Amino acid sequence: MSEPAPPLIHQLAQQRDLVRRLQSEFRGRPRRPRPQYLQRLNADVHAAVAKLQPPGDDSAARVDLINRLQTLVAQVSSSAKLQPFGSSVSGLHSAGADLDLTLVTEVGAEMPKGVQSELVNRLAELLTESEQMESVQARPNARVPIVALQDKKSGLKCDICMCNMLAITNSQLLRAYMSIDERARSLCFTIKFWAKRRSVNDPYRGSLSSYAWVLLAIHYLQTCEPPVLPCLQALRGLYWADDPRRMIIPNFDGRSFDCSFCSDVGALREAMGTLQPANSDSVAELLVGFFRRYTREFDFVKGVSSIRTGSFLSKKEKQWTTKEAGVRGHLFCIEDPFELSHDLGRVIGRDTLNDVRSELDRASQVRAPTRPPAPAPL
Ligand code: CTP
Ligand code: MG
């Protein structure tokens, strides 16, 4: 029998000690922007987040689309079920965000690539024939075969991929993080919005996906002092990582991943609330801290941002020191929380790293406390 896990509160206190040690490695005390500036920025951020929220009937429209698509999918495979993932699940979708769906079958993730491609082609034909969807496009040869479409009724854009169990689970992990502290949601919305506005949100063009930016934001909130978020994958206890019933998820490529994490949001909120001192930063202060992290503190040469461990890993220990085939490089390393060999920054090349870093620099200029007026960050 293994040792019983220490109470949650003790584990969270240990995580705080780790963060204190991490913080001591950052050089120099951050200068605080003027209070008036922070107040204005905070009001702007809250107004922007409120404006980004989807309309009241958005959830119903998404459920309705899933149901209509499910009826069509049943004609291709009676056992296939459509499941949402991405921002609709994590709660980070703004008005008009696309709907990410994956098709899950009885045979689970063990579906050969050829069968997936065939399914994608058949599904695309059926969706076109239904006349309910437009711009239907099959991409049977993509790494994850998908059908892209737009719903005529709601106008929602939707991607359907095959057997992406890992994406369902990592979206649930993100949702758990977003439910622990309201500031996490606001910060992630703001960073996603900023990344889109500043054109650093396109992995096909050498910048980061929304998913990667959200991981960076969560990592910042885990490692600021005192932390706003715990590290859910490092906690131990019933149904958590060291339990025999831990979540081992097979993915579309035949590999399996340990996707265990503590999802007891109620217990976590309560325990976080009793730890002192509490982090009382406003979203504006957290935003300023996020940009400072990626302009002054993060070690782009040696470091890896890892929400799985709630700390920084080294490129050396990840063996991300050389460029592998099919990868632009390991220049801004972000570990996927479950697929540990996946560096979400591998889409970034030397030229695009400069673009991303200069946007981060530009945004961090907002903190200049002595030079009025500060440029707008968004
Ligand atoms: N995903 C992943 N691995 C990646 C990119 C994405 O597993 N390299 C999965 C994640 O589950 C993520 C989902 O795909 O939540 C959608 O990714 P993305 O479009 O980047 O994030 P969204 O939050 O859906 O962004 P948006 O609202 O802009 O659509
Ligand atoms: Mg999406």
Side-chain angles (χ1 to χ4, degrees):
M1 281 278 289
S2 58
E3 290 266 302
L8 183 56
I9 194 97
H10 291 180
Q11 296 185 53
L12 293 171
Q14 276 171 0
Q15 291 191 356
R16 285 181 153 224
D17 291 342
L18 172 75
V19 169
R20 218 165 289 131
R21 285 200 296 279
L22 280 179
Q23 283 281 339
S24 64
E25 286 168 23
F26 298 142
R27 266 168 281 131
R29 278 184 71 78
R31 285 195 300 166
R32 279 177 69 81
R34 293 173 170 186
Q36 303 92 306
Y37 170 74
L38 284 173
Q39 269 170 17
R40 206 186 67 201
L41 179 61
N42 210 41
D44 286 353
V45 164
H46 283 293
V49 171
K51 217 169 154 190
L52 288 167
Q53 295 313 301
D57 56 357
D58 178 85
S59 297
R62 284 171 196 264
V63 171
D64 173 58
L65 174 55
I66 297 175
N67 289 340
R68 281 184 287 121
L69 286 169
Q70 182 64 59
T71 309
L72 295 169
V73 161
Q75 296 175 35
V76 176
S77 160
S78 56
S79 71
K81 289 269 167 300
L82 285 175
Q83 289 208 23
F85 66 97
S87 56
S88 319
V89 170
S90 65
L92 291 172
H93 61 294
S94 34
D98 65 350
L99 176 65
D100 299 300
L101 295 176
T102 184
L103 196 133
V104 179
T105 65
E106 254 172 8
V107 287
E110 321 261 310
M111 195 192 285
K113 186 81 184 271
V115 179
Q116 292 184 31
S117 307
E118 204 183 302
L119 208 57
V120 157
N121 284 328
R122 275 171 48 211
L123 192 56
E125 272 170 33
L126 200 85
L127 293 169
T128 311
E129 283 164 18
S130 78
E131 294 185 0
Q132 292 184 49
M133 313 294 159
E134 55 194 354
S135 314
V136 179
Q137 259 192 334
R139 296 193 200 117
N141 301 321
R143 185 178 79 99
V144 184
I146 68 161
V147 185
L149 58 96
Q150 183 159 19
D151 178 32
K152 284 186 188 166
K153 185 174 167 194
S154 62
L156 284 169
K157 287 191 176 151
C158 174
D159 284 347
I160 306 176
C161 64
M162 301 295 121
C163 309
N164 202 347
M165 308 304 290
L166 219 50
I168 298 175
T169 318
N170 66 32
S171 304
Q172 287 163 352
L173 175 69
L174 265 43
R175 181 173 60 191
Y177 275 116
M178 294 309 118
S179 317
I180 294 169
D181 193 303
E182 181 56 32
R183 290 171 295 173
R185 221 175 141 259
S186 301
L187 184 71
C188 290
F189 258 104
T190 311
I191 291 170
K192 276 178 72 173
F193 176 66
W194 163 81
K196 283 189 179 41
R197 277 283 279 264
R198 303 304 306 167
S199 307
V200 285
N201 179 212
D202 188 350
Y204 298 102
R205 290 176 184 207
S207 59
L208 297 175
S209 62
S210 297
Y211 177 57
W213 283 114
V214 168
L215 293 182
L216 289 176
I218 292 173
H219 187 261
Y220 172 71
L221 296 173
Q222 288 175 325
T223 55
C224 58
E225 182 43 324
V228 172
L229 293 179
C231 174
L232 297 182
Q233 289 172 270
L235 293 167
R236 294 285 176 272
L238 194 63
Y239 296 111
W240 302 348
D242 59 349
D243 187 88
R245 287 160 289 184
R246 65 189 201 272
M247 281 203 290
I248 304 293
I249 308 263
N251 211 32
F252 58 86
D253 54 9
R255 293 180 296 162
S256 290
F257 300 92
D258 184 347
C259 298
S260 316
F261 63 92
C262 172
S263 57
D264 189 344
V265 172
L268 284 161
R269 282 176 78 114
E270 198 182 318
M272 292 289 286
T274 58
L275 288 169
Q276 292 302 324
N279 183 314
S280 57
D281 284 351
S282 65
V283 181
E285 285 167 295
L286 295 171
L287 186 64
V288 168
F290 173 84
F291 288 124
R292 182 174 60 241
R293 168 65 54 83
Y294 288 100
T295 46
R296 291 166 176 246
E297 297 170 345
F298 181 68
D299 184 346
F300 280 85
V301 179
K302 296 189 188 140
V304 176
S305 168
S306 157
I307 72 158
R308 171 182 63 98
T309 59
S311 68
F312 299 97
L313 304 175
S314 70
K315 289 189 188 180
K316 204 164 158 199
E317 69 192 282
K318 294 293 303 179
Q319 300 182 330
W320 286 345
T321 45
T322 49
K323 185 169 149 345
E324 307 117 52
V327 167
R328 290 208 188 117
H330 292 294
L331 303 171
F332 187 172
C333 291
I334 307 160
E335 182 191 61
D336 185 87
F338 300 139
E339 191 179 358
L340 306 187
S341 58
H342 187 181
D343 170 11
L344 285 146
R346 68 186 185 184
V347 288
I348 296 188
R350 291 246 162 251
D351 47 344
T352 55
L353 178 69
N354 283 340
D355 298 340
V356 172
R357 291 190 69 175
S358 61
E359 283 304 330
L360 287 162
D361 272 340
R362 178 187 178 276
S364 79
Q365 298 303 319
V366 300
R367 59 184 282 289
T370 50
R371 273 176 285 135
L378 303 174

